[in-house]
Amino acid sequence: MLEGNDGGATVSLDGGKSWSTEHNQPTGQFYHVNLDNEFPFHIYCAQQDEGSFEGPSAFHGGGIPLSAWHSVATGESTFVVPQPNDPNITYGSNYFSIFAKYDLKTHQFQSVSPWPLYRSGGSSDQDKYRFGWTHPILFSPVNPHQLLISAQYVFRSDDYGINWTRISPDLTRNEKSQEQPSGGPVDLDQSGAEVYPEVSSLAVSPLDGNIIWAGSDDGLVHVTIDGGKNWQ
């Protein structure tokens, strides 16, 4: 008997009395991949239903064993971002407004969300900030202390997530008809993947940290050339 689920597949050879683990075949689905500047460089990724991990691109002995991979921050669908001056510290999101930094040395998680109120099951029009299933997380390539994330707004932190500044207006169309409860009529389907619309793509110029592009998942692209004071 074979059973498939979000994390992979399990196998029973005795009619269901016992089952294998999900780690019996390479079925990992990665949402995003990030790299650091270590040598050899390490790979950071979030895997469907399994959480987030990092591992080396090379390992002594030739192969890269499963034991070389480690859990990082934090969910299954996030961008995983290593801190530029310390790759042992990673930043990652989870459902809705969950956003955390994780220290691999101390195994400590710390919430760094600009809005830590968790609203499971709510529709988009009920949320102050529409953090989608995979919202952007990145450090500026010009300023390694500057962390950026986005909901329908763009946020900037200059102290690794302790304090946040909103540096944009709503950069989506904000059509209220598209922000209502989804699913039904028996049960609503609002597990976090339905949060819409949001800024789903964010990039900073490697030549000028004041130039930031933002793309929304309802079809708008904005740019600022003064660090967020004005957007076009």
Side-chain angles (χ1 to χ4, degrees):
M1 297 168 62
L2 305 176
E3 181 271 339
N5 59 74
D6 271 9
T10 59
V11 181
S12 175
L13 302 177
D14 54 14
K17 294 178 182 179
S18 62
W19 292 85
S20 72
T21 72
E22 296 167 344
H23 301 148
N24 55 17
Q25 76 283 122
T27 56
Q29 175 191 339
F30 296 110
Y31 280 80
H32 305 284
V33 174
N34 234 327
L35 308 176
D36 63 20
N37 293 322
E38 290 188 90
F39 183 80
F41 65 85
H42 283 226
I43 301 157
Y44 300 79
C45 48
Q47 182 180 343
Q48 172 67 33
D49 209 46
E50 295 285 345
S52 301
F53 300 91
E54 64 88 13
S57 60
F59 200 77
H60 57 80
I64 303 176
L66 185 62
S67 59
W69 288 82
H70 305 282
S71 295
V72 290
T74 174
E76 63 175 314
S77 60
T78 183
F79 288 86
V80 183
V81 180
Q83 190 166 294
N85 59 359
D86 187 352
N88 286 299
I89 298 177
T90 54
Y91 296 77
S93 64
N94 209 319
Y95 312 125
F96 301 98
S97 58
I98 293 177
F99 183 42
K101 63 186 292 188
Y102 174 69
D103 190 326
L104 183 61
K105 289 183 176 179
T106 63
H107 303 291
Q108 180 186 26
F109 280 96
Q110 178 183 356
S111 174
V112 291
S113 175
W115 187 250
L117 179 63
Y118 183 75
R119 292 186 55 84
S120 176
S123 57
S124 294
D125 67 338
Q126 297 175 320
D127 293 331
K128 181 175 182 178
Y129 300 129
R130 298 191 294 271
F131 288 104
W133 189 252
T134 46
H135 53 268
I137 305 168
L138 70 154
F139 279 93
S140 168
V142 178
N143 182 356
H145 297 283
Q146 192 172 96
L147 178 63
L148 299 168
I149 63 171
S150 61
Q152 72 270 43
Y153 311 107
V154 179
F155 299 87
R156 186 194 74 227
S157 174
D158 297 314
D159 53 11
Y160 301 117
I162 302 302
N163 297 283
W164 291 94
T165 301
R166 199 179 88 187
I167 63 169
S168 82
D170 189 334
L171 299 180
T172 72
R173 299 180 190 276
N174 193 24
E175 295 181 6
K176 295 302 180 182
S177 63
Q178 300 176 348
E179 300 170 16
Q180 302 304 307
S182 62
V186 177
D187 193 18
L188 296 179
D189 182 22
Q190 293 168 184
S191 63
E194 303 77 24
V195 177
Y196 176 89
E198 64 156 351
V199 173
S200 56
S201 183
L202 198 61
V204 181
S205 168
L207 302 178
D208 185 343
N210 288 316
I211 301 177
I212 305 171
W213 293 272
S216 72
D217 56 9
D218 61 354
L220 297 179
V221 179
H222 286 84
V223 64
T224 176
I225 60 174
D226 53 16
K229 295 183 180 66
N230 299 280
W231 293 82
Q232 300 176 9

